[in-house]
Amino acid sequence: MDKFIIKGGNTLRGEVNIDAAKNAVLPIIAATILCAGKSTIKNYPMLLDVYVIIDALRSLGAKIDINRINRELIIDTSDITDSGVNSDLVRKMRGSFLIMGPMISRFGRFKISFPGGCNIGTRPIDLHLKGFKALGADINLEHGYVEVSAKKLTGAKIYLDFPSVGATENIMMAAVLASGETIIENAAEEPEIGDLANFLNKMGARITGIGTDTLKINGVKALRGISYGPIYDRIEAGTFMIAAAITKSRIKINGVNKEHIKPVVAKLTEMGIDFKFKGQGVLVDGRNELQSIDIKTMPYPGFPTDMQSQMMSLLSCVHGTSVITETIFENRFMHVVELKRMGANIKIDGRSAVIEGINKLNGAEVKATDLRAGAALILAALEAEGETEIFDIHHVDRGYVEIENKLKGIGAQIKRIKS
């Protein structure tokens, strides 16, 4: 496995460009299944998860051209069949389950193995299946597989017990070709949901209520292939904002939607970090003395769980007592053990972490236990005294495009060691 070696203590300066959001691109790629034609996804992020879902579509018969120079995917789904997707691909990445909604919408049936992904919690698929059943589908679970079939999908009113992003996306994609009106109540409001809805509407779908907790989908008979550029990655942007803060640096980040990142900016501003937004760029100044704060992760527009571990790295270096409460996933404190190897003073109490800030972290050998934990360790290493080796960085590669090169470009001492 590859590893990162990082020498901490460097001040960062310059500019960094944010890629398109992985969590927007994955459902959009899945949604291309809904039409028998060609679609072009512009400025796609060259990430492992993207290539996994590409391989999943190819296993169904899609023809996909990857232009790495222009960063474009040309996806032709004309010859897709409902033969089933490679089980290993589904186990690699939970997002591949998003194929289910489009496949039953287009073909009336599909069988897929239970999904995999980062080990950060149970993340059950029952809300997805509840939505499919409400639309008229029959569900069969056996031998590690999910089989969904429907002679005809019909619009329905669906209330989600929890505003699940994946369930909202999957049900929305299943409903766009269903007859009649579908209403999804307590729907997730994340910007990536809105981006998928905008993509589907451009294809010819009729979705309203975008950006609210109630989505209305009026079924149409067919969709068409289009060209589309997904939104920027708000979590990558937030990670680089913390990189500026934890190294007491001043950097410019290009590719930021101020509205999408508002909950993170609000907390960082509360700590004492300065922001100057202009267009789709922001100048982040982390040179002030920072204050300890409390954070509680919540569904959007609350503080995102995907930024919790990175904030913990920052708060480990800020004087005073901070408390982070994780309400989304029950197993998202695995990075705490690794941060403590670097000298962090953190105690876990149920779903809360109590952080006593220290003067300086120390370099150590640590491992990334999941995607965002890996980002947190990189940030901690940038601040730490001495050298840090981070193992199992394949997790990081799932969500950050060449993060080591972006960090090098603004002055970090980081290198990837290939194994």
PDB file of all heavy atoms in Angstrom, residues 22-50:
ATOM      1  N   LYS A  22     -17.216  14.675  -5.674  1.00  0.00           N
ATOM      2  CA  LYS A  22     -17.404  13.237  -5.864  1.00  0.00           C
ATOM      3  C   LYS A  22     -18.842  12.848  -5.567  1.00  0.00           C
ATOM      4  O   LYS A  22     -19.457  12.068  -6.316  1.00  0.00           O
ATOM      5  CB  LYS A  22     -16.452  12.469  -4.941  1.00  0.00           C
ATOM      6  CG  LYS A  22     -16.589  10.950  -5.059  1.00  0.00           C
ATOM      7  CD  LYS A  22     -15.966  10.212  -3.897  1.00  0.00           C
ATOM      8  CE  LYS A  22     -16.845  10.267  -2.666  1.00  0.00           C
ATOM      9  NZ  LYS A  22     -16.499   9.236  -1.664  1.00  0.00           N
ATOM     10  N   ASN A  23     -19.401  13.383  -4.493  1.00  0.00           N
ATOM     11  CA  ASN A  23     -20.747  12.996  -4.077  1.00  0.00           C
ATOM     12  C   ASN A  23     -21.841  13.566  -4.976  1.00  0.00           C
ATOM     13  O   ASN A  23     -23.013  13.206  -4.831  1.00  0.00           O
ATOM     14  CB  ASN A  23     -20.995  13.408  -2.624  1.00  0.00           C
ATOM     15  CG  ASN A  23     -20.169  12.589  -1.653  1.00  0.00           C
ATOM     16  OD1 ASN A  23     -19.752  11.472  -1.958  1.00  0.00           O
ATOM     17  ND2 ASN A  23     -19.911  13.142  -0.474  1.00  0.00           N
ATOM     18  N   ALA A  24     -21.469  14.451  -5.894  1.00  0.00           N
ATOM     19  CA  ALA A  24     -22.403  14.892  -6.935  1.00  0.00           C
ATOM     20  C   ALA A  24     -22.207  14.070  -8.199  1.00  0.00           C
ATOM     21  O   ALA A  24     -23.164  13.696  -8.882  1.00  0.00           O
ATOM     22  CB  ALA A  24     -22.203  16.379  -7.235  1.00  0.00           C
ATOM     23  N   VAL A  25     -20.952  13.777  -8.521  1.00  0.00           N
ATOM     24  CA  VAL A  25     -20.632  13.083  -9.772  1.00  0.00           C
ATOM     25  C   VAL A  25     -21.152  11.649  -9.769  1.00  0.00           C
ATOM     26  O   VAL A  25     -21.685  11.163 -10.771  1.00  0.00           O
ATOM     27  CB  VAL A  25     -19.109  13.104 -10.024  1.00  0.00           C
ATOM     28  CG1 VAL A  25     -18.736  12.205 -11.195  1.00  0.00           C
ATOM     29  CG2 VAL A  25     -18.644  14.530 -10.290  1.00  0.00           C
ATOM     30  N   LEU A  26     -21.012  10.936  -8.644  1.00  0.00           N
ATOM     31  CA  LEU A  26     -21.400   9.524  -8.613  1.00  0.00           C
ATOM     32  C   LEU A  26     -22.880   9.310  -8.963  1.00  0.00           C
ATOM     33  O   LEU A  26     -23.196   8.497  -9.834  1.00  0.00           O
ATOM     34  CB  LEU A  26     -21.063   8.901  -7.258  1.00  0.00           C
ATOM     35  CG  LEU A  26     -19.568   8.834  -6.912  1.00  0.00           C
ATOM     36  CD1 LEU A  26     -19.381   8.200  -5.537  1.00  0.00           C
ATOM     37  CD2 LEU A  26     -18.778   8.062  -7.953  1.00  0.00           C
ATOM     38  N   PRO A  27     -23.831  10.018  -8.310  1.00  0.00           N
ATOM     39  CA  PRO A  27     -25.234   9.817  -8.702  1.00  0.00           C
ATOM     40  C   PRO A  27     -25.535  10.309 -10.110  1.00  0.00           C
ATOM     41  O   PRO A  27     -26.412   9.754 -10.790  1.00  0.00           O
ATOM     42  CB  PRO A  27     -26.020  10.610  -7.650  1.00  0.00           C
ATOM     43  CG  PRO A  27     -25.050  11.560  -7.051  1.00  0.00           C
ATOM     44  CD  PRO A  27     -23.713  10.887  -7.123  1.00  0.00           C
ATOM     45  N   ILE A  28     -24.818  11.331 -10.563  1.00  0.00           N
ATOM     46  CA  ILE A  28     -25.034  11.824 -11.928  1.00  0.00           C
ATOM     47  C   ILE A  28     -24.612  10.770 -12.944  1.00  0.00           C
ATOM     48  O   ILE A  28     -25.297  10.534 -13.951  1.00  0.00           O
ATOM     49  CB  ILE A  28     -24.291  13.161 -12.135  1.00  0.00           C
ATOM     50  CG1 ILE A  28     -25.056  14.293 -11.434  1.00  0.00           C
ATOM     51  CG2 ILE A  28     -24.118  13.474 -13.621  1.00  0.00           C
ATOM     52  CD1 ILE A  28     -24.317  15.611 -11.405  1.00  0.00           C
ATOM     53  N   ILE A  29     -23.480  10.111 -12.699  1.00  0.00           N
ATOM     54  CA  ILE A  29     -23.055   9.026 -13.590  1.00  0.00           C
ATOM     55  C   ILE A  29     -24.101   7.913 -13.578  1.00  0.00           C
ATOM     56  O   ILE A  29     -24.474   7.377 -14.631  1.00  0.00           O
ATOM     57  CB  ILE A  29     -21.670   8.490 -13.177  1.00  0.00           C
ATOM     58  CG1 ILE A  29     -20.584   9.541 -13.450  1.00  0.00           C
ATOM     59  CG2 ILE A  29     -21.340   7.195 -13.923  1.00  0.00           C
ATOM     60  CD1 ILE A  29     -19.207   9.155 -12.946  1.00  0.00           C
ATOM     61  N   ALA A  30     -24.591   7.556 -12.387  1.00  0.00           N
ATOM     62  CA  ALA A  30     -25.635   6.525 -12.298  1.00  0.00           C
ATOM     63  C   ALA A  30     -26.884   6.936 -13.068  1.00  0.00           C
ATOM     64  O   ALA A  30     -27.536   6.108 -13.731  1.00  0.00           O
ATOM     65  CB  ALA A  30     -25.977   6.256 -10.839  1.00  0.00           C
ATOM     66  N   ALA A  31     -27.220   8.232 -13.020  1.00  0.00           N
ATOM     67  CA  ALA A  31     -28.439   8.730 -13.661  1.00  0.00           C
ATOM     68  C   ALA A  31     -28.386   8.652 -15.185  1.00  0.00           C
ATOM     69  O   ALA A  31     -29.434   8.667 -15.837  1.00  0.00           O
ATOM     70  CB  ALA A  31     -28.712  10.171 -13.224  1.00  0.00           C
ATOM     71  N   THR A  32     -27.193   8.562 -15.758  1.00  0.00           N
ATOM     72  CA  THR A  32     -27.108   8.450 -17.226  1.00  0.00           C
ATOM     73  C   THR A  32     -27.768   7.162 -17.714  1.00  0.00           C
ATOM     74  O   THR A  32     -28.133   7.053 -18.889  1.00  0.00           O
ATOM     75  CB  THR A  32     -25.642   8.492 -17.711  1.00  0.00           C
ATOM     76  OG1 THR A  32     -24.922   7.365 -17.181  1.00  0.00           O
ATOM     77  CG2 THR A  32     -24.956   9.782 -17.284  1.00  0.00           C
ATOM     78  N   ILE A  33     -27.931   6.186 -16.829  1.00  0.00           N
ATOM     79  CA  ILE A  33     -28.609   4.933 -17.186  1.00  0.00           C
ATOM     80  C   ILE A  33     -30.038   5.190 -17.634  1.00  0.00           C
ATOM     81  O   ILE A  33     -30.601   4.433 -18.438  1.00  0.00           O
ATOM     82  CB  ILE A  33     -28.603   3.970 -15.980  1.00  0.00           C
ATOM     83  CG1 ILE A  33     -27.177   3.510 -15.665  1.00  0.00           C
ATOM     84  CG2 ILE A  33     -29.515   2.773 -16.197  1.00  0.00           C
ATOM     85  CD1 ILE A  33     -27.048   2.755 -14.348  1.00  0.00           C
ATOM     86  N   LEU A  34     -30.646   6.262 -17.141  1.00  0.00           N
ATOM     87  CA  LEU A  34     -32.071   6.524 -17.370  1.00  0.00           C
ATOM     88  C   LEU A  34     -32.423   6.802 -18.821  1.00  0.00           C
ATOM     89  O   LEU A  34     -33.597   6.729 -19.193  1.00  0.00           O
ATOM     90  CB  LEU A  34     -32.527   7.693 -16.489  1.00  0.00           C
ATOM     91  CG  LEU A  34     -32.625   7.388 -14.993  1.00  0.00           C
ATOM     92  CD1 LEU A  34     -32.633   8.668 -14.180  1.00  0.00           C
ATOM     93  CD2 LEU A  34     -33.856   6.538 -14.705  1.00  0.00           C
ATOM     94  N   CYS A  35     -31.447   7.156 -19.643  1.00  0.00           N
ATOM     95  CA  CYS A  35     -31.739   7.409 -21.051  1.00  0.00           C
ATOM     96  C   CYS A  35     -30.905   6.485 -21.922  1.00  0.00           C
ATOM     97  O   CYS A  35     -29.782   6.117 -21.563  1.00  0.00           O
ATOM     98  CB  CYS A  35     -31.470   8.867 -21.421  1.00  0.00           C
ATOM     99  SG  CYS A  35     -29.722   9.277 -21.540  1.00  0.00           S
ATOM    100  N   ALA A  36     -31.442   6.096 -23.043  1.00  0.00           N
ATOM    101  CA  ALA A  36     -30.702   5.265 -23.998  1.00  0.00           C
ATOM    102  C   ALA A  36     -29.999   6.192 -24.986  1.00  0.00           C
ATOM    103  O   ALA A  36     -30.471   6.448 -26.086  1.00  0.00           O
ATOM    104  CB  ALA A  36     -31.650   4.311 -24.725  1.00  0.00           C
ATOM    105  N   GLY A  37     -28.864   6.742 -24.571  1.00  0.00           N
ATOM    106  CA  GLY A  37     -28.137   7.676 -25.420  1.00  0.00           C
ATOM    107  C   GLY A  37     -26.847   8.112 -24.773  1.00  0.00           C
ATOM    108  O   GLY A  37     -26.375   7.501 -23.814  1.00  0.00           O
ATOM    109  N   LYS A  38     -26.264   9.189 -25.303  1.00  0.00           N
ATOM    110  CA  LYS A  38     -24.963   9.671 -24.832  1.00  0.00           C
ATOM    111  C   LYS A  38     -25.110  10.885 -23.925  1.00  0.00           C
ATOM    112  O   LYS A  38     -25.899  11.790 -24.195  1.00  0.00           O
ATOM    113  CB  LYS A  38     -24.070  10.061 -26.017  1.00  0.00           C
ATOM    114  CG  LYS A  38     -23.493   8.894 -26.784  1.00  0.00           C
ATOM    115  CD  LYS A  38     -22.517   9.391 -27.848  1.00  0.00           C
ATOM    116  CE  LYS A  38     -21.904   8.215 -28.613  1.00  0.00           C
ATOM    117  NZ  LYS A  38     -20.942   8.681 -29.648  1.00  0.00           N
ATOM    118  N   SER A  39     -24.327  10.882 -22.861  1.00  0.00           N
ATOM    119  CA  SER A  39     -24.219  12.045 -21.987  1.00  0.00           C
ATOM    120  C   SER A  39     -22.745  12.345 -21.750  1.00  0.00           C
ATOM    121  O   SER A  39     -21.911  11.435 -21.734  1.00  0.00           O
ATOM    122  CB  SER A  39     -24.902  11.789 -20.639  1.00  0.00           C
ATOM    123  OG  SER A  39     -26.302  11.644 -20.790  1.00  0.00           O
ATOM    124  N   THR A  40     -22.445  13.622 -21.561  1.00  0.00           N
ATOM    125  CA  THR A  40     -21.065  14.034 -21.294  1.00  0.00           C
ATOM    126  C   THR A  40     -21.002  14.689 -19.918  1.00  0.00           C
ATOM    127  O   THR A  40     -21.757  15.622 -19.633  1.00  0.00           O
ATOM    128  CB  THR A  40     -20.565  15.030 -22.362  1.00  0.00           C
ATOM    129  OG1 THR A  40     -20.614  14.403 -23.647  1.00  0.00           O
ATOM    130  CG2 THR A  40     -19.129  15.454 -22.079  1.00  0.00           C
ATOM    131  N   ILE A  41     -20.113  14.182 -19.068  1.00  0.00           N
ATOM    132  CA  ILE A  41     -19.887  14.764 -17.744  1.00  0.00           C
ATOM    133  C   ILE A  41     -18.572  15.522 -17.804  1.00  0.00           C
ATOM    134  O   ILE A  41     -17.509  14.939 -18.033  1.00  0.00           O
ATOM    135  CB  ILE A  41     -19.809  13.680 -16.644  1.00  0.00           C
ATOM    136  CG1 ILE A  41     -20.983  12.699 -16.768  1.00  0.00           C
ATOM    137  CG2 ILE A  41     -19.751  14.333 -15.277  1.00  0.00           C
ATOM    138  CD1 ILE A  41     -22.335  13.330 -16.666  1.00  0.00           C
ATOM    139  N   LYS A  42     -18.641  16.836 -17.606  1.00  0.00           N
ATOM    140  CA  LYS A  42     -17.459  17.696 -17.736  1.00  0.00           C
ATOM    141  C   LYS A  42     -16.774  17.895 -16.394  1.00  0.00           C
ATOM    142  O   LYS A  42     -17.408  17.919 -15.350  1.00  0.00           O
ATOM    143  CB  LYS A  42     -17.862  19.053 -18.332  1.00  0.00           C
ATOM    144  CG  LYS A  42     -18.441  18.958 -19.748  1.00  0.00           C
ATOM    145  CD  LYS A  42     -18.788  20.310 -20.315  1.00  0.00           C
ATOM    146  CE  LYS A  42     -20.032  20.878 -19.648  1.00  0.00           C
ATOM    147  NZ  LYS A  42     -20.483  22.141 -20.282  1.00  0.00           N
ATOM    148  N   ASN A  43     -15.453  18.029 -16.456  1.00  0.00           N
ATOM    149  CA  ASN A  43     -14.633  18.329 -15.269  1.00  0.00           C
ATOM    150  C   ASN A  43     -14.833  17.290 -14.158  1.00  0.00           C
ATOM    151  O   ASN A  43     -14.918  17.632 -12.984  1.00  0.00           O
ATOM    152  CB  ASN A  43     -14.958  19.729 -14.730  1.00  0.00           C
ATOM    153  CG  ASN A  43     -13.907  20.202 -13.727  1.00  0.00           C
ATOM    154  OD1 ASN A  43     -12.723  19.892 -13.850  1.00  0.00           O
ATOM    155  ND2 ASN A  43     -14.327  20.938 -12.728  1.00  0.00           N
ATOM    156  N   TYR A  44     -14.889  16.014 -14.552  1.00  0.00           N
ATOM    157  CA  TYR A  44     -15.078  14.970 -13.537  1.00  0.00           C
ATOM    158  C   TYR A  44     -13.814  14.840 -12.686  1.00  0.00           C
ATOM    159  O   TYR A  44     -12.704  15.051 -13.170  1.00  0.00           O
ATOM    160  CB  TYR A  44     -15.410  13.625 -14.203  1.00  0.00           C
ATOM    161  CG  TYR A  44     -14.201  12.894 -14.764  1.00  0.00           C
ATOM    162  CD1 TYR A  44     -13.546  11.918 -14.012  1.00  0.00           C
ATOM    163  CD2 TYR A  44     -13.710  13.180 -16.031  1.00  0.00           C
ATOM    164  CE1 TYR A  44     -12.432  11.264 -14.510  1.00  0.00           C
ATOM    165  CE2 TYR A  44     -12.606  12.528 -16.532  1.00  0.00           C
ATOM    166  CZ  TYR A  44     -11.965  11.565 -15.768  1.00  0.00           C
ATOM    167  OH  TYR A  44     -10.856  10.923 -16.256  1.00  0.00           O
ATOM    168  N   PRO A  45     -13.941  14.486 -11.413  1.00  0.00           N
ATOM    169  CA  PRO A  45     -12.759  14.297 -10.569  1.00  0.00           C
ATOM    170  C   PRO A  45     -12.147  12.913 -10.799  1.00  0.00           C
ATOM    171  O   PRO A  45     -12.853  11.905 -10.772  1.00  0.00           O
ATOM    172  CB  PRO A  45     -13.330  14.408  -9.148  1.00  0.00           C
ATOM    173  CG  PRO A  45     -14.749  13.968  -9.284  1.00  0.00           C
ATOM    174  CD  PRO A  45     -15.198  14.364 -10.665  1.00  0.00           C
ATOM    175  N   MET A  46     -10.853  12.855 -11.029  1.00  0.00           N
ATOM    176  CA  MET A  46     -10.179  11.594 -11.324  1.00  0.00           C
ATOM    177  C   MET A  46      -9.906  10.844 -10.020  1.00  0.00           C
ATOM    178  O   MET A  46      -8.806  10.874  -9.474  1.00  0.00           O
ATOM    179  CB  MET A  46      -8.890  11.852 -12.113  1.00  0.00           C
ATOM    180  CG  MET A  46      -9.152  12.430 -13.495  1.00  0.00           C
ATOM    181  SD  MET A  46      -7.696  12.550 -14.557  1.00  0.00           S
ATOM    182  CE  MET A  46      -6.842  13.923 -13.797  1.00  0.00           C
ATOM    183  N   LEU A  47     -10.960  10.179  -9.528  1.00  0.00           N
ATOM    184  CA  LEU A  47     -10.919   9.514  -8.229  1.00  0.00           C
ATOM    185  C   LEU A  47     -11.229   8.028  -8.377  1.00  0.00           C
ATOM    186  O   LEU A  47     -11.945   7.622  -9.300  1.00  0.00           O
ATOM    187  CB  LEU A  47     -11.945  10.130  -7.278  1.00  0.00           C
ATOM    188  CG  LEU A  47     -11.724  11.584  -6.881  1.00  0.00           C
ATOM    189  CD1 LEU A  47     -12.975  12.134  -6.204  1.00  0.00           C
ATOM    190  CD2 LEU A  47     -10.526  11.689  -5.952  1.00  0.00           C
ATOM    191  N   LEU A  48     -10.741   7.253  -7.428  1.00  0.00           N
ATOM    192  CA  LEU A  48     -10.976   5.815  -7.436  1.00  0.00           C
ATOM    193  C   LEU A  48     -12.459   5.490  -7.470  1.00  0.00           C
ATOM    194  O   LEU A  48     -12.905   4.626  -8.234  1.00  0.00           O
ATOM    195  CB  LEU A  48     -10.313   5.181  -6.201  1.00  0.00           C
ATOM    196  CG  LEU A  48     -10.466   3.669  -6.036  1.00  0.00           C
ATOM    197  CD1 LEU A  48      -9.859   2.944  -7.220  1.00  0.00           C
ATOM    198  CD2 LEU A  48      -9.816   3.209  -4.739  1.00  0.00           C
ATOM    199  N   ASP A  49     -13.272   6.165  -6.649  1.00  0.00           N
ATOM    200  CA  ASP A  49     -14.705   5.874  -6.606  1.00  0.00           C
ATOM    201  C   ASP A  49     -15.377   6.137  -7.958  1.00  0.00           C
ATOM    202  O   ASP A  49     -16.312   5.424  -8.343  1.00  0.00           O
ATOM    203  CB  ASP A  49     -15.387   6.716  -5.525  1.00  0.00           C
ATOM    204  CG  ASP A  49     -15.242   6.095  -4.138  1.00  0.00           C
ATOM    205  OD1 ASP A  49     -14.474   5.118  -4.009  1.00  0.00           O
ATOM    206  OD2 ASP A  49     -15.873   6.606  -3.192  1.00  0.00           O
ATOM    207  N   VAL A  50     -14.931   7.167  -8.653  1.00  0.00           N
ATOM    208  CA  VAL A  50     -15.489   7.470  -9.978  1.00  0.00           C
ATOM    209  C   VAL A  50     -15.180   6.336 -10.944  1.00  0.00           C
ATOM    210  O   VAL A  50     -16.049   5.888 -11.702  1.00  0.00           O
ATOM    211  CB  VAL A  50     -14.937   8.811 -10.502  1.00  0.00           C
ATOM    212  CG1 VAL A  50     -15.374   9.045 -11.950  1.00  0.00           C
ATOM    213  CG2 VAL A  50     -15.417   9.963  -9.622  1.00  0.00           C
TER     214      VAL A  50
END
